[in-house]
Each structure stands twice: as structure tokens, then as C-alpha cells.
Amino acid sequence: MARLELVPLDRPDVAPRAISPRLRTQLVYFMSPHDAPGVPALGEHEYWFAEAEVVRWLDDGVFYLVSPLDTANMTEVELTEEQEALLGWLKAKAVQHVRLAE
């Protein structure tokens, strides 16, 4: 199996961070939309994590998802240790723009 890594594009001095296949599928929970203010043009397999959002999720210990069964309401989801570690890395290293490398 290929090793999955997040390669910081805005901080080339920061070493890539290995992630699990499971966390790979969860990146969409935390990435900023491509058309959000301040998000640069993103290439294939690139993600932008807004610093303010990362800080908020870490402070709250939760994030919110839209339920496919009830799109009118959001579901509060507690961060897993793995998600919290990723968000902590993004914050500590001041990384917002990454590329997923396999």
C-alpha cells in the first residue's frame, strides 16, 4: 500500500505528514470550499485549511456535518484523536495549503 502524506505547499520548510487512509477520506470535513474568500487556486489533490477554522475546531473539540437524512440540521461530531492531531499539526506549523501525495 502506498504511503499517504500531506505535503505543505505554503510552508516548504515543514516536513510532510503521514496520514491514514481513513483520515484521507475525512479531509473533506475540514477543507475550505474552492470558492471561499482567501482560498487560492488549487490543483489536483490539493486542499486549503483556513487557519481560523482549524483554531475553532481545536478550541471546540467538535465539527459539524450535514446529515444526509436531515439536510436542514447539522450534526455535532466530536474530533477523533487522529483528526485532532492533524488539526494540531496544521496550527502548530502554520500550514494551510497542502497536497496529498501517495
PDB file of all heavy atoms in Angstrom, residues 59-93:
ATOM      1  N   ASP A  59     -10.432  24.414  19.429  1.00  0.00           N
ATOM      2  CA  ASP A  59     -10.976  25.006  20.658  1.00  0.00           C
ATOM      3  C   ASP A  59     -12.279  24.330  21.074  1.00  0.00           C
ATOM      4  O   ASP A  59     -12.500  24.067  22.254  1.00  0.00           O
ATOM      5  CB  ASP A  59     -11.211  26.507  20.486  1.00  0.00           C
ATOM      6  CG  ASP A  59      -9.920  27.315  20.455  1.00  0.00           C
ATOM      7  OD1 ASP A  59      -8.851  26.765  20.794  1.00  0.00           O
ATOM      8  OD2 ASP A  59      -9.982  28.509  20.078  1.00  0.00           O
ATOM      9  N   ASP A  60     -13.139  24.051  20.086  1.00  0.00           N
ATOM     10  CA  ASP A  60     -14.452  23.455  20.374  1.00  0.00           C
ATOM     11  C   ASP A  60     -14.386  21.950  20.602  1.00  0.00           C
ATOM     12  O   ASP A  60     -15.244  21.387  21.275  1.00  0.00           O
ATOM     13  CB  ASP A  60     -15.435  23.731  19.236  1.00  0.00           C
ATOM     14  CG  ASP A  60     -15.787  25.203  19.085  1.00  0.00           C
ATOM     15  OD1 ASP A  60     -15.437  26.007  19.975  1.00  0.00           O
ATOM     16  OD2 ASP A  60     -16.406  25.549  18.055  1.00  0.00           O
ATOM     17  N   GLY A  61     -13.391  21.293  19.971  1.00  0.00           N
ATOM     18  CA  GLY A  61     -13.291  19.838  20.059  1.00  0.00           C
ATOM     19  C   GLY A  61     -14.321  19.110  19.224  1.00  0.00           C
ATOM     20  O   GLY A  61     -14.466  17.887  19.323  1.00  0.00           O
ATOM     21  N   VAL A  62     -15.037  19.853  18.384  1.00  0.00           N
ATOM     22  CA  VAL A  62     -16.077  19.275  17.532  1.00  0.00           C
ATOM     23  C   VAL A  62     -16.081  19.973  16.179  1.00  0.00           C
ATOM     24  O   VAL A  62     -15.518  21.057  16.020  1.00  0.00           O
ATOM     25  CB  VAL A  62     -17.488  19.403  18.160  1.00  0.00           C
ATOM     26  CG1 VAL A  62     -17.580  18.654  19.475  1.00  0.00           C
ATOM     27  CG2 VAL A  62     -17.895  20.852  18.334  1.00  0.00           C
ATOM     28  N   PHE A  63     -16.742  19.325  15.218  1.00  0.00           N
ATOM     29  CA  PHE A  63     -17.057  19.962  13.946  1.00  0.00           C
ATOM     30  C   PHE A  63     -18.484  19.563  13.608  1.00  0.00           C
ATOM     31  O   PHE A  63     -19.093  18.747  14.297  1.00  0.00           O
ATOM     32  CB  PHE A  63     -16.046  19.581  12.846  1.00  0.00           C
ATOM     33  CG  PHE A  63     -16.036  18.123  12.477  1.00  0.00           C
ATOM     34  CD1 PHE A  63     -16.695  17.659  11.350  1.00  0.00           C
ATOM     35  CD2 PHE A  63     -15.350  17.198  13.261  1.00  0.00           C
ATOM     36  CE1 PHE A  63     -16.672  16.316  11.018  1.00  0.00           C
ATOM     37  CE2 PHE A  63     -15.318  15.853  12.927  1.00  0.00           C
ATOM     38  CZ  PHE A  63     -15.985  15.412  11.799  1.00  0.00           C
ATOM     39  N   TYR A  64     -19.020  20.144  12.565  1.00  0.00           N
ATOM     40  CA  TYR A  64     -20.429  19.924  12.233  1.00  0.00           C
ATOM     41  C   TYR A  64     -20.560  19.364  10.823  1.00  0.00           C
ATOM     42  O   TYR A  64     -19.881  19.813   9.906  1.00  0.00           O
ATOM     43  CB  TYR A  64     -21.220  21.228  12.363  1.00  0.00           C
ATOM     44  CG  TYR A  64     -21.237  21.726  13.786  1.00  0.00           C
ATOM     45  CD1 TYR A  64     -20.237  22.572  14.259  1.00  0.00           C
ATOM     46  CD2 TYR A  64     -22.219  21.307  14.666  1.00  0.00           C
ATOM     47  CE1 TYR A  64     -20.231  23.004  15.579  1.00  0.00           C
ATOM     48  CE2 TYR A  64     -22.222  21.730  15.993  1.00  0.00           C
ATOM     49  CZ  TYR A  64     -21.224  22.579  16.437  1.00  0.00           C
ATOM     50  OH  TYR A  64     -21.208  22.985  17.749  1.00  0.00           O
ATOM     51  N   LEU A  65     -21.451  18.391  10.682  1.00  0.00           N
ATOM     52  CA  LEU A  65     -21.739  17.781   9.388  1.00  0.00           C
ATOM     53  C   LEU A  65     -23.219  17.917   9.089  1.00  0.00           C
ATOM     54  O   LEU A  65     -24.053  17.870   9.999  1.00  0.00           O
ATOM     55  CB  LEU A  65     -21.406  16.286   9.403  1.00  0.00           C
ATOM     56  CG  LEU A  65     -19.945  15.882   9.450  1.00  0.00           C
ATOM     57  CD1 LEU A  65     -19.827  14.361   9.561  1.00  0.00           C
ATOM     58  CD2 LEU A  65     -19.210  16.372   8.225  1.00  0.00           C
ATOM     59  N   VAL A  66     -23.539  18.021   7.803  1.00  0.00           N
ATOM     60  CA  VAL A  66     -24.929  17.988   7.378  1.00  0.00           C
ATOM     61  C   VAL A  66     -25.308  16.517   7.240  1.00  0.00           C
ATOM     62  O   VAL A  66     -24.636  15.745   6.563  1.00  0.00           O
ATOM     63  CB  VAL A  66     -25.114  18.715   6.032  1.00  0.00           C
ATOM     64  CG1 VAL A  66     -26.540  18.567   5.533  1.00  0.00           C
ATOM     65  CG2 VAL A  66     -24.735  20.175   6.166  1.00  0.00           C
ATOM     66  N   SER A  67     -26.380  16.144   7.886  1.00  0.00           N
ATOM     67  CA  SER A  67     -26.852  14.764   7.816  1.00  0.00           C
ATOM     68  C   SER A  67     -27.516  14.518   6.469  1.00  0.00           C
ATOM     69  O   SER A  67     -28.351  15.314   6.025  1.00  0.00           O
ATOM     70  CB  SER A  67     -27.870  14.490   8.928  1.00  0.00           C
ATOM     71  OG  SER A  67     -28.509  13.258   8.714  1.00  0.00           O
ATOM     72  N   PRO A  68     -27.181  13.418   5.802  1.00  0.00           N
ATOM     73  CA  PRO A  68     -27.849  13.124   4.527  1.00  0.00           C
ATOM     74  C   PRO A  68     -29.340  12.817   4.718  1.00  0.00           C
ATOM     75  O   PRO A  68     -30.121  12.905   3.788  1.00  0.00           O
ATOM     76  CB  PRO A  68     -27.099  11.899   3.994  1.00  0.00           C
ATOM     77  CG  PRO A  68     -26.361  11.348   5.151  1.00  0.00           C
ATOM     78  CD  PRO A  68     -26.167  12.446   6.145  1.00  0.00           C
ATOM     79  N   LEU A  69     -29.728  12.488   5.941  1.00  0.00           N
ATOM     80  CA  LEU A  69     -31.132  12.180   6.222  1.00  0.00           C
ATOM     81  C   LEU A  69     -31.927  13.405   6.652  1.00  0.00           C
ATOM     82  O   LEU A  69     -33.156  13.396   6.638  1.00  0.00           O
ATOM     83  CB  LEU A  69     -31.222  11.109   7.320  1.00  0.00           C
ATOM     84  CG  LEU A  69     -30.502   9.800   7.000  1.00  0.00           C
ATOM     85  CD1 LEU A  69     -30.577   8.860   8.189  1.00  0.00           C
ATOM     86  CD2 LEU A  69     -31.106   9.153   5.763  1.00  0.00           C
ATOM     87  N   ASP A  70     -31.219  14.478   7.039  1.00  0.00           N
ATOM     88  CA  ASP A  70     -31.879  15.684   7.516  1.00  0.00           C
ATOM     89  C   ASP A  70     -31.021  16.888   7.156  1.00  0.00           C
ATOM     90  O   ASP A  70     -30.275  17.407   7.989  1.00  0.00           O
ATOM     91  CB  ASP A  70     -32.096  15.595   9.031  1.00  0.00           C
ATOM     92  CG  ASP A  70     -32.837  16.792   9.593  1.00  0.00           C
ATOM     93  OD1 ASP A  70     -33.305  17.639   8.803  1.00  0.00           O
ATOM     94  OD2 ASP A  70     -32.939  16.890  10.824  1.00  0.00           O
ATOM     95  N   THR A  71     -31.126  17.340   5.920  1.00  0.00           N
ATOM     96  CA  THR A  71     -30.249  18.407   5.432  1.00  0.00           C
ATOM     97  C   THR A  71     -30.542  19.763   6.067  1.00  0.00           C
ATOM     98  O   THR A  71     -29.776  20.693   5.900  1.00  0.00           O
ATOM     99  CB  THR A  71     -30.335  18.534   3.902  1.00  0.00           C
ATOM    100  OG1 THR A  71     -31.701  18.755   3.533  1.00  0.00           O
ATOM    101  CG2 THR A  71     -29.806  17.286   3.212  1.00  0.00           C
ATOM    102  N   ALA A  72     -31.635  19.866   6.805  1.00  0.00           N
ATOM    103  CA  ALA A  72     -31.969  21.131   7.460  1.00  0.00           C
ATOM    104  C   ALA A  72     -31.208  21.312   8.767  1.00  0.00           C
ATOM    105  O   ALA A  72     -31.170  22.408   9.316  1.00  0.00           O
ATOM    106  CB  ALA A  72     -33.468  21.191   7.729  1.00  0.00           C
ATOM    107  N   ASN A  73     -30.613  20.233   9.277  1.00  0.00           N
ATOM    108  CA  ASN A  73     -29.928  20.306  10.570  1.00  0.00           C
ATOM    109  C   ASN A  73     -28.498  19.801  10.468  1.00  0.00           C
ATOM    110  O   ASN A  73     -28.187  18.932   9.657  1.00  0.00           O
ATOM    111  CB  ASN A  73     -30.683  19.473  11.614  1.00  0.00           C
ATOM    112  CG  ASN A  73     -32.046  20.058  11.916  1.00  0.00           C
ATOM    113  OD1 ASN A  73     -32.153  21.198  12.319  1.00  0.00           O
ATOM    114  ND2 ASN A  73     -33.085  19.275  11.673  1.00  0.00           N
ATOM    115  N   MET A  74     -27.660  20.368  11.311  1.00  0.00           N
ATOM    116  CA  MET A  74     -26.264  19.943  11.384  1.00  0.00           C
ATOM    117  C   MET A  74     -26.090  18.980  12.556  1.00  0.00           C
ATOM    118  O   MET A  74     -26.754  19.125  13.582  1.00  0.00           O
ATOM    119  CB  MET A  74     -25.354  21.155  11.603  1.00  0.00           C
ATOM    120  CG  MET A  74     -25.464  22.228  10.537  1.00  0.00           C
ATOM    121  SD  MET A  74     -24.721  21.749   8.992  1.00  0.00           S
ATOM    122  CE  MET A  74     -23.033  22.093   9.333  1.00  0.00           C
ATOM    123  N   THR A  75     -25.175  18.042  12.381  1.00  0.00           N
ATOM    124  CA  THR A  75     -24.857  17.099  13.443  1.00  0.00           C
ATOM    125  C   THR A  75     -23.495  17.460  14.015  1.00  0.00           C
ATOM    126  O   THR A  75     -22.531  17.647  13.269  1.00  0.00           O
ATOM    127  CB  THR A  75     -24.816  15.655  12.886  1.00  0.00           C
ATOM    128  OG1 THR A  75     -26.092  15.354  12.333  1.00  0.00           O
ATOM    129  CG2 THR A  75     -24.460  14.657  13.960  1.00  0.00           C
ATOM    130  N   GLU A  76     -23.412  17.563  15.333  1.00  0.00           N
ATOM    131  CA  GLU A  76     -22.144  17.847  16.003  1.00  0.00           C
ATOM    132  C   GLU A  76     -21.374  16.546  16.135  1.00  0.00           C
ATOM    133  O   GLU A  76     -21.913  15.547  16.612  1.00  0.00           O
ATOM    134  CB  GLU A  76     -22.423  18.443  17.380  1.00  0.00           C
ATOM    135  CG  GLU A  76     -21.175  18.841  18.123  1.00  0.00           C
ATOM    136  CD  GLU A  76     -21.494  19.469  19.461  1.00  0.00           C
ATOM    137  OE1 GLU A  76     -21.757  20.684  19.493  1.00  0.00           O
ATOM    138  OE2 GLU A  76     -21.486  18.729  20.459  1.00  0.00           O
ATOM    139  N   VAL A  77     -20.120  16.561  15.690  1.00  0.00           N
ATOM    140  CA  VAL A  77     -19.274  15.369  15.718  1.00  0.00           C
ATOM    141  C   VAL A  77     -18.013  15.690  16.507  1.00  0.00           C
ATOM    142  O   VAL A  77     -17.314  16.669  16.215  1.00  0.00           O
ATOM    143  CB  VAL A  77     -18.900  14.917  14.288  1.00  0.00           C
ATOM    144  CG1 VAL A  77     -18.020  13.677  14.317  1.00  0.00           C
ATOM    145  CG2 VAL A  77     -20.152  14.688  13.444  1.00  0.00           C
ATOM    146  N   GLU A  78     -17.712  14.882  17.507  1.00  0.00           N
ATOM    147  CA  GLU A  78     -16.504  15.076  18.306  1.00  0.00           C
ATOM    148  C   GLU A  78     -15.276  14.683  17.485  1.00  0.00           C
ATOM    149  O   GLU A  78     -15.284  13.686  16.766  1.00  0.00           O
ATOM    150  CB  GLU A  78     -16.570  14.223  19.569  1.00  0.00           C
ATOM    151  CG  GLU A  78     -15.462  14.518  20.545  1.00  0.00           C
ATOM    152  CD  GLU A  78     -15.642  13.798  21.878  1.00  0.00           C
ATOM    153  OE1 GLU A  78     -16.778  13.432  22.211  1.00  0.00           O
ATOM    154  OE2 GLU A  78     -14.623  13.613  22.565  1.00  0.00           O
ATOM    155  N   LEU A  79     -14.219  15.477  17.601  1.00  0.00           N
ATOM    156  CA  LEU A  79     -12.970  15.165  16.896  1.00  0.00           C
ATOM    157  C   LEU A  79     -12.387  13.856  17.415  1.00  0.00           C
ATOM    158  O   LEU A  79     -12.361  13.619  18.632  1.00  0.00           O
ATOM    159  CB  LEU A  79     -11.937  16.268  17.115  1.00  0.00           C
ATOM    160  CG  LEU A  79     -12.204  17.632  16.488  1.00  0.00           C
ATOM    161  CD1 LEU A  79     -11.167  18.632  16.972  1.00  0.00           C
ATOM    162  CD2 LEU A  79     -12.219  17.552  14.982  1.00  0.00           C
ATOM    163  N   THR A  80     -11.879  13.038  16.510  1.00  0.00           N
ATOM    164  CA  THR A  80     -11.139  11.849  16.921  1.00  0.00           C
ATOM    165  C   THR A  80      -9.717  12.279  17.274  1.00  0.00           C
ATOM    166  O   THR A  80      -9.286  13.392  16.937  1.00  0.00           O
ATOM    167  CB  THR A  80     -11.088  10.808  15.794  1.00  0.00           C
ATOM    168  OG1 THR A  80     -10.318  11.344  14.699  1.00  0.00           O
ATOM    169  CG2 THR A  80     -12.476  10.415  15.312  1.00  0.00           C
ATOM    170  N   GLU A  81      -8.977  11.406  17.916  1.00  0.00           N
ATOM    171  CA  GLU A  81      -7.578  11.725  18.232  1.00  0.00           C
ATOM    172  C   GLU A  81      -6.786  11.998  16.964  1.00  0.00           C
ATOM    173  O   GLU A  81      -5.947  12.904  16.928  1.00  0.00           O
ATOM    174  CB  GLU A  81      -6.945  10.581  19.016  1.00  0.00           C
ATOM    175  CG  GLU A  81      -7.419  10.482  20.443  1.00  0.00           C
ATOM    176  CD  GLU A  81      -6.727   9.373  21.214  1.00  0.00           C
ATOM    177  OE1 GLU A  81      -5.593   8.986  20.845  1.00  0.00           O
ATOM    178  OE2 GLU A  81      -7.309   8.900  22.202  1.00  0.00           O
ATOM    179  N   GLU A  82      -7.041  11.227  15.927  1.00  0.00           N
ATOM    180  CA  GLU A  82      -6.321  11.393  14.664  1.00  0.00           C
ATOM    181  C   GLU A  82      -6.657  12.732  14.002  1.00  0.00           C
ATOM    182  O   GLU A  82      -5.768  13.429  13.501  1.00  0.00           O
ATOM    183  CB  GLU A  82      -6.654  10.229  13.728  1.00  0.00           C
ATOM    184  CG  GLU A  82      -5.844  10.226  12.459  1.00  0.00           C
ATOM    185  CD  GLU A  82      -6.122   9.016  11.592  1.00  0.00           C
ATOM    186  OE1 GLU A  82      -7.247   8.471  11.624  1.00  0.00           O
ATOM    187  OE2 GLU A  82      -5.204   8.616  10.864  1.00  0.00           O
ATOM    188  N   GLN A  83      -7.932  13.104  14.007  1.00  0.00           N
ATOM    189  CA  GLN A  83      -8.335  14.392  13.442  1.00  0.00           C
ATOM    190  C   GLN A  83      -7.736  15.541  14.249  1.00  0.00           C
ATOM    191  O   GLN A  83      -7.230  16.508  13.686  1.00  0.00           O
ATOM    192  CB  GLN A  83      -9.863  14.511  13.428  1.00  0.00           C
ATOM    193  CG  GLN A  83     -10.532  13.582  12.462  1.00  0.00           C
ATOM    194  CD  GLN A  83     -12.025  13.466  12.705  1.00  0.00           C
ATOM    195  OE1 GLN A  83     -12.539  13.818  13.765  1.00  0.00           O
ATOM    196  NE2 GLN A  83     -12.740  12.970  11.704  1.00  0.00           N
ATOM    197  N   GLU A  84      -7.779  15.415  15.560  1.00  0.00           N
ATOM    198  CA  GLU A  84      -7.222  16.456  16.426  1.00  0.00           C
ATOM    199  C   GLU A  84      -5.714  16.599  16.215  1.00  0.00           C
ATOM    200  O   GLU A  84      -5.185  17.714  16.189  1.00  0.00           O
ATOM    201  CB  GLU A  84      -7.529  16.140  17.888  1.00  0.00           C
ATOM    202  CG  GLU A  84      -7.203  17.261  18.823  1.00  0.00           C
ATOM    203  CD  GLU A  84      -7.709  17.041  20.237  1.00  0.00           C
ATOM    204  OE1 GLU A  84      -8.274  15.967  20.537  1.00  0.00           O
ATOM    205  OE2 GLU A  84      -7.534  17.952  21.046  1.00  0.00           O
ATOM    206  N   ALA A  85      -5.025  15.483  16.021  1.00  0.00           N
ATOM    207  CA  ALA A  85      -3.580  15.530  15.772  1.00  0.00           C
ATOM    208  C   ALA A  85      -3.281  16.244  14.452  1.00  0.00           C
ATOM    209  O   ALA A  85      -2.339  17.045  14.369  1.00  0.00           O
ATOM    210  CB  ALA A  85      -2.996  14.125  15.771  1.00  0.00           C
ATOM    211  N   LEU A  86      -4.069  15.973  13.417  1.00  0.00           N
ATOM    212  CA  LEU A  86      -3.875  16.650  12.133  1.00  0.00           C
ATOM    213  C   LEU A  86      -4.116  18.143  12.278  1.00  0.00           C
ATOM    214  O   LEU A  86      -3.294  18.961  11.832  1.00  0.00           O
ATOM    215  CB  LEU A  86      -4.808  16.078  11.068  1.00  0.00           C
ATOM    216  CG  LEU A  86      -4.850  16.887   9.754  1.00  0.00           C
ATOM    217  CD1 LEU A  86      -3.489  16.884   9.070  1.00  0.00           C
ATOM    218  CD2 LEU A  86      -5.942  16.376   8.847  1.00  0.00           C
ATOM    219  N   LEU A  87      -5.217  18.513  12.889  1.00  0.00           N
ATOM    220  CA  LEU A  87      -5.521  19.935  13.071  1.00  0.00           C
ATOM    221  C   LEU A  87      -4.469  20.619  13.935  1.00  0.00           C
ATOM    222  O   LEU A  87      -4.070  21.758  13.659  1.00  0.00           O
ATOM    223  CB  LEU A  87      -6.912  20.102  13.678  1.00  0.00           C
ATOM    224  CG  LEU A  87      -8.080  19.632  12.802  1.00  0.00           C
ATOM    225  CD1 LEU A  87      -9.385  19.654  13.587  1.00  0.00           C
ATOM    226  CD2 LEU A  87      -8.192  20.453  11.532  1.00  0.00           C
ATOM    227  N   GLY A  88      -3.974  19.928  14.941  1.00  0.00           N
ATOM    228  CA  GLY A  88      -2.907  20.468  15.780  1.00  0.00           C
ATOM    229  C   GLY A  88      -1.632  20.701  14.991  1.00  0.00           C
ATOM    230  O   GLY A  88      -0.934  21.699  15.190  1.00  0.00           O
ATOM    231  N   TRP A  89      -1.323  19.783  14.075  1.00  0.00           N
ATOM    232  CA  TRP A  89      -0.150  19.931  13.209  1.00  0.00           C
ATOM    233  C   TRP A  89      -0.325  21.137  12.299  1.00  0.00           C
ATOM    234  O   TRP A  89       0.598  21.947  12.149  1.00  0.00           O
ATOM    235  CB  TRP A  89       0.059  18.659  12.396  1.00  0.00           C
ATOM    236  CG  TRP A  89       1.161  18.714  11.388  1.00  0.00           C
ATOM    237  CD1 TRP A  89       2.500  18.588  11.629  1.00  0.00           C
ATOM    238  CD2 TRP A  89       1.019  18.898   9.967  1.00  0.00           C
ATOM    239  NE1 TRP A  89       3.201  18.683  10.440  1.00  0.00           N
ATOM    240  CE2 TRP A  89       2.311  18.878   9.408  1.00  0.00           C
ATOM    241  CE3 TRP A  89      -0.071  19.075   9.124  1.00  0.00           C
ATOM    242  CZ2 TRP A  89       2.536  19.018   8.045  1.00  0.00           C
ATOM    243  CZ3 TRP A  89       0.149  19.217   7.762  1.00  0.00           C
ATOM    244  CH2 TRP A  89       1.448  19.192   7.238  1.00  0.00           C
ATOM    245  N   LEU A  90      -1.506  21.280  11.684  1.00  0.00           N
ATOM    246  CA  LEU A  90      -1.766  22.424  10.807  1.00  0.00           C
ATOM    247  C   LEU A  90      -1.569  23.731  11.568  1.00  0.00           C
ATOM    248  O   LEU A  90      -0.946  24.662  11.071  1.00  0.00           O
ATOM    249  CB  LEU A  90      -3.185  22.352  10.245  1.00  0.00           C
ATOM    250  CG  LEU A  90      -3.477  21.237   9.244  1.00  0.00           C
ATOM    251  CD1 LEU A  90      -4.977  21.125   8.993  1.00  0.00           C
ATOM    252  CD2 LEU A  90      -2.729  21.457   7.933  1.00  0.00           C
ATOM    253  N   LYS A  91      -2.097  23.789  12.791  1.00  0.00           N
ATOM    254  CA  LYS A  91      -1.989  25.007  13.597  1.00  0.00           C
ATOM    255  C   LYS A  91      -0.547  25.267  14.031  1.00  0.00           C
ATOM    256  O   LYS A  91      -0.026  26.377  13.865  1.00  0.00           O
ATOM    257  CB  LYS A  91      -2.887  24.896  14.825  1.00  0.00           C
ATOM    258  CG  LYS A  91      -2.824  26.113  15.721  1.00  0.00           C
ATOM    259  CD  LYS A  91      -3.701  25.945  16.949  1.00  0.00           C
ATOM    260  CE  LYS A  91      -3.527  27.120  17.900  1.00  0.00           C
ATOM    261  NZ  LYS A  91      -4.291  26.917  19.137  1.00  0.00           N
ATOM    262  N   ALA A  92       0.104  24.246  14.590  1.00  0.00           N
ATOM    263  CA  ALA A  92       1.463  24.412  15.125  1.00  0.00           C
ATOM    264  C   ALA A  92       2.463  24.797  14.039  1.00  0.00           C
ATOM    265  O   ALA A  92       3.385  25.581  14.283  1.00  0.00           O
ATOM    266  CB  ALA A  92       1.908  23.139  15.826  1.00  0.00           C
ATOM    267  N   LYS A  93       2.276  24.254  12.850  1.00  0.00           N
ATOM    268  CA  LYS A  93       3.211  24.508  11.750  1.00  0.00           C
ATOM    269  C   LYS A  93       2.761  25.646  10.846  1.00  0.00           C
ATOM    270  O   LYS A  93       3.444  25.964   9.872  1.00  0.00           O
ATOM    271  CB  LYS A  93       3.402  23.241  10.911  1.00  0.00           C
ATOM    272  CG  LYS A  93       3.910  22.044  11.702  1.00  0.00           C
ATOM    273  CD  LYS A  93       5.294  22.272  12.240  1.00  0.00           C
ATOM    274  CE  LYS A  93       5.821  21.023  12.927  1.00  0.00           C
ATOM    275  NZ  LYS A  93       7.141  21.191  13.484  1.00  0.00           N
TER     276      LYS A  93
END
